[in-house]
């Protein structure tokens, strides 16, 4: 059964643009001078991530999601991991559908990590190494039940999710191609395709968010679609966009008649280690129109039941989808992040 929430409030467009400049940045090539530093100066929290949808079973998806320095934002903060201080606490999610017991861990930045200040080499305990500079990156993990070795080549196609005034918060995602292998219980599986390489940085303020979801769909060998919906207090719409980009296209963003509805939730509530309570989606649909008011894309999704905790303070998983994109039939395995603390 679908669930109803309070009416959503959309802030006037000029107000959005005064607070967040990211909409004006999209469609431009990635600036190679963009910083990817670890926490420093006014920035007390940074995020590095690699997200891969549409993997073969039993994996379904892979995300390498790191947070260095715990954010003030309640729904993204892992308070239970802090042993010394917020800025000394990092966490890493190695998320796939197989869900090994060591997929999520916390670390002391000082004692457990080796992080080069410009972000060119990041080592989190014995769990993850993410290294390289634009456009060539390398992610690997060894000595575990689940391991991988992936070469990642970034394009200049970038989705700018947030660029808040006064540099309060920045977040972007590069369209990348990857190739390598996943290893589970000693068996290696060759993989290749499209993924994202992401970076975010924030100062130590509490941005009030009650709901967040992020989807990645690889439509074909060249084209990738991203969906973001973020709601604040009183269901204020902070962002609602579908980003489209391709190997040979800097892409566009769309929000015309955006609709996302959960039709059925999982029967049991999920309680995070930090005490947040939420229901995760089981079946859902979403759609968006183009600038002429015609249907651009619609998707019906069925969650694979593989949500893993550690997407900051929420969950990441995958879903099977069918739908249409620019009039053509599509299907595949999408990637989803989900976090919802609204009463329901």
């Amino acid at each position: 059964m679908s669930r109803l929430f309070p009416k959503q409030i959309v802030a006037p467009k000029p107000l959005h643009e005064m607070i967040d400049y990211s909409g004006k940045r999209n469609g431009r090539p990635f600036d190679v001078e963009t910083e990817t530093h670890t926490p420093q100066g006014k920035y007390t929290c940074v995020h590095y991530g690699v997200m891969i949808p549409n993997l073969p079973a039993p994996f379904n998806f892979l995300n390498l999601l790191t947070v260095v320095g715990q954010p003030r934002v309640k729904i993204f903060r892992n308070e239970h991991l802090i042993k010394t201080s917020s800025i000394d606490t990092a966490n890493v999610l190695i998320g796939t559908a197989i869900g090994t017991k060591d997929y999520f861990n916390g670390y002391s930045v000082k004692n457990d990590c080796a992080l080069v200040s410009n972000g060119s080499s990041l080592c989190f305990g014995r769990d993850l190494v993410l290294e390289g500079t634009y456009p060539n990156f390398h992610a690997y993990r060894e000595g575990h039940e689940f391991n991988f070795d992936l070469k990642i080549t970034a394009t200049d196609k970038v989705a700018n999710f947030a660029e808040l005034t006064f540099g309060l918060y920045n977040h972007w995602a590069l369209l990348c191609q990857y190739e390598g292998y996943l290893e589970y219980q000693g068996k290696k599986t060759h993989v290749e395709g499209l993924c994202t390489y992401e970076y975010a940085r924030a100062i130590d303020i509490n941005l009030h968010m009650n709901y967040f979801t992020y989807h990645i769909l690889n439509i074909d060998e060249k084209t990738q679609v991203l969906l973001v919906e973020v709601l604040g207090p009183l269901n204020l719409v902070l962002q609602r966009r579908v980003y489209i980009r391709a190997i040979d296209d800097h892409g566009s963003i769309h929000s015309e008649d955006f609709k996302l509805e959960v039709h059925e939730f999982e029967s049991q509530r999920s309680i995070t280690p930090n005490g947040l309570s939420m229901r995760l989606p089981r079946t859902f649909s979403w759609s968006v129109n183009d600038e002429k008011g015609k249907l651009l894309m619609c998707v019906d999704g069925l969650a694979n039941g593989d949500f893993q905790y550690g997407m900051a303070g929420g969950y990441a998983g995958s879903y099977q989808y069918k739908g249409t994109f620019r009039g053509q039939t599509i299907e595949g395995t999408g990637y989803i992040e989900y976090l919802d603390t609204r009463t329901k």
Side-chain angles (χ1 to χ4, degrees):
M1 177 183 298
S2 63
R3 297 173 182 267
L4 299 178
F5 300 99
K7 183 178 179 181
Q8 295 174 353
I9 303 170
V10 180
K13 187 174 181 180
L15 178 59
H16 266 301
E17 293 178 349
M18 288 176 61
I19 299 172
D20 183 1
Y21 304 123
S22 62
K24 300 177 181 180
R25 306 291 192 227
N26 284 286
R28 302 179 184 179
F30 180 67
D31 181 358
V32 298
E33 300 299 322
T34 301
E35 294 181 310
T36 58
H37 58 73
T38 57
Q40 57 186 257
K42 65 181 180 181
Y43 294 105
T44 58
C45 175
V46 304
H47 155 61
Y48 302 90
V50 176
M51 289 76 172
I52 304 177
N54 208 41
L55 286 174
F59 306 106
N60 294 346
F61 73 99
L62 173 65
N63 66 355
L64 314 177
L65 196 152
T66 77
V67 177
V68 184
Q70 291 303 297
R72 184 73 66 87
V73 180
K74 182 178 179 181
I75 66 171
F76 293 146
R77 184 179 177 88
N78 275 291
E79 185 73 30
H80 74 289
L81 295 179
I82 300 175
K83 306 300 182 185
T84 53
S85 65
S86 295
I87 199 168
D88 183 52
T89 305
N91 54 267
V92 173
L93 169 64
I94 309 291
T96 75
I98 57 176
T100 57
K101 61 183 179 181
D102 58 352
Y103 70 90
F104 178 71
N105 284 299
Y107 313 83
S108 162
V109 173
K110 179 180 179 180
N111 298 326
D112 305 325
C113 303
L115 310 178
V116 175
S117 61
N118 67 358
S120 61
S121 180
L122 309 167
C123 179
F124 299 88
R126 296 181 57 253
D127 294 322
L128 172 68
V129 176
L130 183 60
E131 58 188 5
T133 57
Y134 178 86
N136 299 307
F137 302 96
H138 182 209
Y140 65 92
R141 168 183 167 101
E142 56 188 10
H144 297 263
E145 183 181 18
F146 173 68
N147 304 297
F148 50 82
D149 194 302
L150 301 168
K151 293 182 179 179
I152 300 164
T153 304
T155 70
D156 65 348
K157 314 307 187 292
V158 60
N160 291 282
F161 300 135
E163 189 173 337
L164 300 192
T165 185
F166 306 121
L168 300 179
Y169 175 62
N170 305 103
H171 191 174
W172 47 260
L174 284 165
L175 173 63
C176 303
Q177 295 173 294
Y178 73 91
E179 183 176 10
Y181 68 81
L182 309 179
E183 180 185 14
Y184 179 52
Q185 296 180 339
K187 180 182 178 181
K188 292 183 178 180
T189 301
H190 177 264
V191 292
E192 60 182 319
L194 300 179
C195 69
T196 68
Y197 178 89
E198 304 194 5
Y199 177 78
R201 63 182 185 179
I203 69 172
D204 191 29
I205 61 169
N206 185 12
L207 302 174
H208 294 281
M209 303 178 189
N210 295 333
Y211 168 89
F212 171 89
T213 191
Y214 173 43
H215 302 219
I216 306 175
L217 281 66
N218 289 346
I219 302 302
D220 54 38
E221 293 180 351
K222 292 185 177 182
T223 310
Q224 186 179 80
V225 172
L226 314 176
L227 174 148
V228 178
E229 185 175 31
V230 185
L231 304 178
L234 303 177
N235 261 16
L236 176 67
V237 176
L238 302 179
Q239 184 166 146
R240 180 180 282 154
R241 293 177 183 168
V242 172
Y243 300 76
I244 299 173
R245 71 261 188 92
I247 297 296
D248 55 0
D249 184 0
H250 284 95
S252 53
I253 57 176
H254 303 270
S255 57
E256 184 71 25
D257 203 24
F258 177 111
K259 296 177 182 177
L260 191 160
E261 183 178 5
V262 177
H263 305 292
E264 181 185 6
F265 290 86
E266 295 293 344
S267 59
Q268 299 296 318
R269 302 181 74 87
S270 295
I271 309 297
T272 75
N274 300 293
L276 300 180
S277 173
M278 67 192 77
R279 288 197 187 277
L280 298 175
R282 176 168 172 74
T283 63
F284 50 91
S285 60
W286 59 267
S287 62
V288 70
N289 290 346
D290 63 18
E291 63 279 1
K292 297 180 180 179
K294 295 183 178 181
L295 181 65
L296 175 63
M297 184 171 183
C298 66
V299 165
D300 290 313
L302 172 63
N304 285 321
D306 55 12
F307 280 106
Q308 304 290 337
Y309 178 79
M311 189 289 297
Y315 295 83
S318 69
Y319 64 94
Q320 300 303 307
Y321 69 85
K322 294 183 179 180
T324 63
F325 174 73
R326 292 174 174 164
Q328 301 296 314
T329 300
I330 58 172
E331 62 179 323
T333 303
Y335 170 78
I336 179 174
E337 298 178 355
Y338 195 85
L339 214 172
D340 187 358
T341 61
R342 298 172 297 173
T343 301
K344 52 183 180 288

